[in-house]
Amino acid sequence: MTTTSELGVVTTKVPARLDRLPWSRFHWRIVIGLGTVWILDGLEVTIVGAVAARMTEPGSGIDLTSADIGTAAAIYVAGACVGALLFGRLTDRYGRKKLFMLTLGIYILATVATAFAHDAWYLYLARFITGMGIGGEYAAINSAIDELIPARNRGQVDLAINGSYWVGAALGSLVAVLLLNESLLPDNLGWRLAFGLGGVLGLGIMLVRRHVPESPRWLFIHGHEEEAERIVDRIEAEVRQEIGRELPEPGEAVTVRQRDVIPFREIASVAVRRYPRRAILGLALFVGQAFLYNAIVFDLGTILNGFFDIGSGSIPYFMALFAIANFLGPLLLGRLFDTVGRKPMIAGTYFGSAVVAAILAVLLVNGSLTTWSFFLLVSLTFFVASAGASSAYLTVSEVFPMETRALSISLFFAIGTAVGGITGPLLFGHLIHSGDADLVAIGFLVGAAAMALGGLAEVFFGVRAEQQSLENIARPLTAEEAEAALRNEPAPQDARDSRRPEHVRRAADERERRIADRTARRRERERTGARRYRPGTGQGSRMYSPGMVGTAGTASRTSAMAERRLDEEIEQITHALRETGPTSRDRLEQAVDGRSWGPGRFRRALRESEQESRVRSLPDGSYAPADGHGPTGSAPDDPRDQR
């Protein structure tokens, strides 16, 4: 790697080194230390929903109406928008770690202060500052997670982490059952302790978070390449010791011009000029999920209390079940975002939740819903919607350059949430306060329409980012490739290629030939199969996605790298079978360490190996080399070999 004593041009394999790591204890630390922030947010939002009815009752120690609860929810979301914009910019400038420690501290202080609320204005102020802390967390945490998690696992992990919001929601609901028990605690104390619980959890998370490193990707962009290398060296040493073998060689290097400070106007112009359709996509996804979630979740307790006569002491039980349904959504559907793909899964979850919400609204107008049928439909709506809502953060984090990642998350979160997240609770709070079920049904229909628009945006503007390096989905602003081309100079990788030995070049040429043949066969299958109707760009697709306009270079690099990885995996499978002879599927996966490749990758590589006649399946369900020879060159027992 090129190093300089001052800011300059640097070539590094840090992104490739991070992306090729197998899953390890280090990644679990990232999940626990950073991902648990969503538990806090879930705790905050659900506590409000669970204790809202109690806070509007006489003797609670604070004089509030159901409309005041909706206003407090809207103010919390407004604070999150302000915090996201403020701390998102600071995260891109000063680093991920400094900011995710600062924002967590702000959250802890503000949520404890909420417990001492005595009037509506005090509650509004405390909730605004609490929201600022959570909003800042969104930007800093999503950036750090996506920059530290391997590309092949990023979608599933990101959705599961965002889905952990509902672990906090379930925890808040169950704890609220005890805290709202009048035989244990007085009316004016239980709900206060519920808010204080968030501060206790926050302190525990801060202790774990101290051991999470700064993002190496951020470090080398901002002139700290030596520190980035040291951090990655430590991570690799830990992973190597854990798995007991050497790590595979990293992929291609990236060359960037280091920048200490990137002007805000330059960052903001990226979304508008270079990626306008991705900007529309991010906005639509955030508006849809923000309206539906903030409107219904903040006010679900008051709906159950006001329209279905559920007592305030019983509401936490419903909220806990609701939270479990929401958590199961991204947990069970998350891996499909990395295997089936981003576009079909994001669009499907947005459309699916819209359909169920619309059905619920119609039945609510007809008056044919019981307490449990209403609750079942709401839970089903959010089982599907929770995976889609989590994917909004994943999408914005992936499709914009690394220098703008935190600000992009904060910008789209702030705008989308301001449009949907503030208006939603305000609208629902007043609709519920009216006592008219028909008006509440209109609110559900508006939420369904907002989610449907997000689904349409994904169909037309979505990006197939599954299992791709962040640097290939959106080229860094500081990358030197374009400047090298303008100077008629070979890119760093081209210069290295010209110095490679002849046998290495021949092997590379053979690999490219295999990839070209494989791509041609896939195109032919897609032209004649049902997949030709799939929306978006693709080698075999006849429909065009405007979301990829102006990104042909990025798309081609992404496709090429994905094909090379697939070819390497096929070669590993073929080599392992030649070494071992006929082998069961499970043992073959273990021999090539297919589990570390990522969800569905081993299955796909094995299927491609069969289609290319590199591997054949035997009647007993095992696999053998296509040439019929085992490790000693003897013929296997498969009767088909006697033909």
Side-chain angles (χ1 to χ4, degrees), residues 512-525:
E512 296 303 323
R513 183 191 63 76
R514 291 194 304 267
I515 291 174
D517 291 343
R518 184 179 303 124
T519 303
R521 287 192 297 271
R522 189 180 300 120
R523 286 178 180 174
E524 185 60 30
R525 291 198 302 268

Side-chain angles (χ1 to χ4, degrees), residues 194-251:
F195 284 106
L197 177 65
V200 175
L201 289 177
L203 287 173
I205 293 172
M206 182 170 284
L207 294 177
V208 178
R209 191 173 285 186
R210 292 182 307 159
H211 303 289
V212 174
E214 178 59 88
S215 165
R217 280 176 157 106
W218 182 89
L219 286 169
F220 76 73
I221 282 287
H222 290 80
H224 307 288
E225 66 274 14
E226 292 182 357
E227 184 180 352
E229 293 285 349
R230 284 195 299 270
I231 289 175
V232 177
D233 287 343
R234 289 198 301 269
I235 296 171
E236 288 179 334
E238 177 185 338
V239 174
R240 198 179 295 115
Q241 181 179 8
E242 179 181 341
I243 65 176
R245 64 176 185 276
E246 288 299 316
L247 298 171
E249 285 297 315

Side-chain angles (χ1 to χ4, degrees), residues 500-520:
R500 292 186 301 176
E502 179 63 27
H503 73 279
V504 176
R505 289 201 297 272
R506 283 200 302 270
D509 291 341
E510 176 65 19
R511 179 190 65 190
E512 296 303 323
R513 183 191 63 76
R514 291 194 304 267
I515 291 174
D517 291 343
R518 184 179 303 124
T519 303

Side-chain angles (χ1 to χ4, degrees), residues 22 243-246 569 572-573 575-577 579-581 583-597 601-603 606 623:
I243 65 176
R245 64 176 185 276
E246 288 299 316
E569 292 161 1
Q572 289 182 53
I573 290 174
H575 178 73
L577 286 174
E579 290 289 323
T580 63
T583 306
S584 69
R585 186 188 186 283
D586 290 341
R587 291 196 176 189
L588 178 58
E589 184 176 18
Q590 185 178 6
V592 298
D593 196 22
R595 291 183 181 275
S596 70
W597 295 356
R601 293 190 68 95
F602 173 78
R603 181 174 64 252
L606 185 59
Y623 293 86

Side-chain angles (χ1 to χ4, degrees), residues 39-40 43-44 47 107-108 111-112 115 168 170-176 179 190-205:
I39 295 178
L40 296 180
L43 186 73
E44 283 295 317
I47 278 179
Y107 161 80
I108 292 172
T111 194
V112 170
L171 178 63
S173 299
L174 293 175
V175 171
L179 298 180
W191 66 266
R192 298 182 187 277
L193 294 178
F195 284 106
L197 177 65
V200 175
L201 289 177
L203 287 173
I205 293 172

Side-chain angles (χ1 to χ4, degrees), residues 391-452:
S391 69
Y393 296 93
L394 172 66
T395 297
V396 172
S397 180
E398 287 182 325
V399 302
F400 293 101
M402 71 170 72
E403 300 92 336
T404 72
R405 184 160 294 122
L407 184 61
S408 296
I409 295 169
S410 61
L411 182 63
F412 287 98
F413 169 81
I415 297 175
T417 304
V419 175
I422 297 177
T423 58
L426 283 173
L427 174 64
F428 257 77
H430 286 84
L431 292 178
I432 294 168
H433 189 63
S434 71
D436 189 341
D438 291 349
L439 293 179
V440 176
I442 292 175
F444 276 100
L445 288 175
V446 174
M451 291 296 285

